[in-house]
Amino acid sequence: MIRPLLLAVLALLSVLAAMHAHARQPEFSYMTLNGMTQIAAVAEGIPAELVARGLTPARIETHARQRLEAAGIEVVALEQALTAPHAGKLRIRLLTNRDGYGLYYFGMKLELRQKIPLGNPAGGFVSQVVWADGESSTMTEQELEKPLAALERLLAALIADYRAQNTGQ
């Protein structure tokens, strides 16, 4: 019984180390959030069993939208962000793994992508991750507030970085 628990703890520590190694802005970049005027928040990867318990993509997206709007950042629908020149896409991912005892190991990851125009007549663009951060922890089925608390901390970090690069915000 101790060995599976020890292996689970080691796996969790590995995930934590990997997530922090890739957190924040990409290494070779500068002022990546400057000038971004709108953000579309999209939640992905929510496991069906957590959706059934009320942790839906809509709930996560609403939480992110309210937090970003309260910070003065305009949040738009994904369809609108596709056509707006200075809009980014905030991808919110929740990855989980459930052990035999009913304990969930989860990772919450935020990736903000910004458009890079191609300069062609069609107005084409590619997108690039310009900011990313993540957090992982454990929870039971009754602790659905834990991923939302992780989302709140990650959004606070994003907002702080956004404000530092957009001083008028």
Side-chain angles (χ1 to χ4, degrees):
M1 175 153 165
I2 291 287
R3 186 166 185 219
L5 184 59
L6 182 59
L7 289 173
V9 168
L10 288 174
L12 180 62
L13 289 174
S14 307
V15 169
L16 283 171
M19 290 181 88
H20 283 287
H22 299 288
R24 305 282 178 165
Q25 287 193 73
E27 186 177 320
F28 189 70
S29 59
Y30 176 70
M31 297 296 281
T32 57
L33 304 177
N34 185 265
M36 188 179 301
T37 59
Q38 300 171 321
I39 294 177
V42 180
E44 301 174 351
I46 315 303
E49 64 266 19
L50 296 181
V51 170
R53 293 188 161 277
L55 191 60
T56 64
R59 181 177 176 191
I60 291 171
E61 289 171 7
T62 299
H63 185 88
R65 182 175 53 252
Q66 290 172 346
R67 181 68 175 94
L68 292 169
E69 286 174 345
I73 299 170
E74 184 180 356
V75 180
V76 297
L78 181 59
E79 297 76 22
Q80 184 178 347
L82 287 171
T83 59
H86 299 291
K89 176 186 175 188
L90 179 63
R91 181 179 183 206
I92 305 165
R93 294 189 65 207
L94 177 63
L95 304 173
T96 63
N97 186 15
R98 186 174 180 193
D99 69 12
Y101 301 103
L103 187 64
Y104 285 91
Y105 300 91
F106 74 88
M108 175 72 70
K109 183 172 184 180
L110 272 57
E111 288 182 346
L112 183 59
R113 300 183 78 85
Q114 187 169 26
K115 296 175 186 174
I116 301 170
L118 295 175
N120 59 29
F125 66 88
V126 293
S127 68
Q128 176 65 43
V129 174
V130 295
W131 187 93
D133 204 351
E135 189 175 306
S136 59
S137 187
T138 60
M139 69 176 195
T140 64
E141 288 180 340
Q142 292 74 33
E143 297 177 309
L144 295 181
E145 72 280 352
K146 280 191 169 183
L148 292 175
L151 175 60
E152 182 65 31
R153 288 186 293 274
L154 294 170
L155 288 170
L158 171 60
I159 290 165
D161 288 349
Y162 180 86
R163 285 183 174 156
Q165 294 182 32
N166 294 279
T167 54
Q169 300 291 325

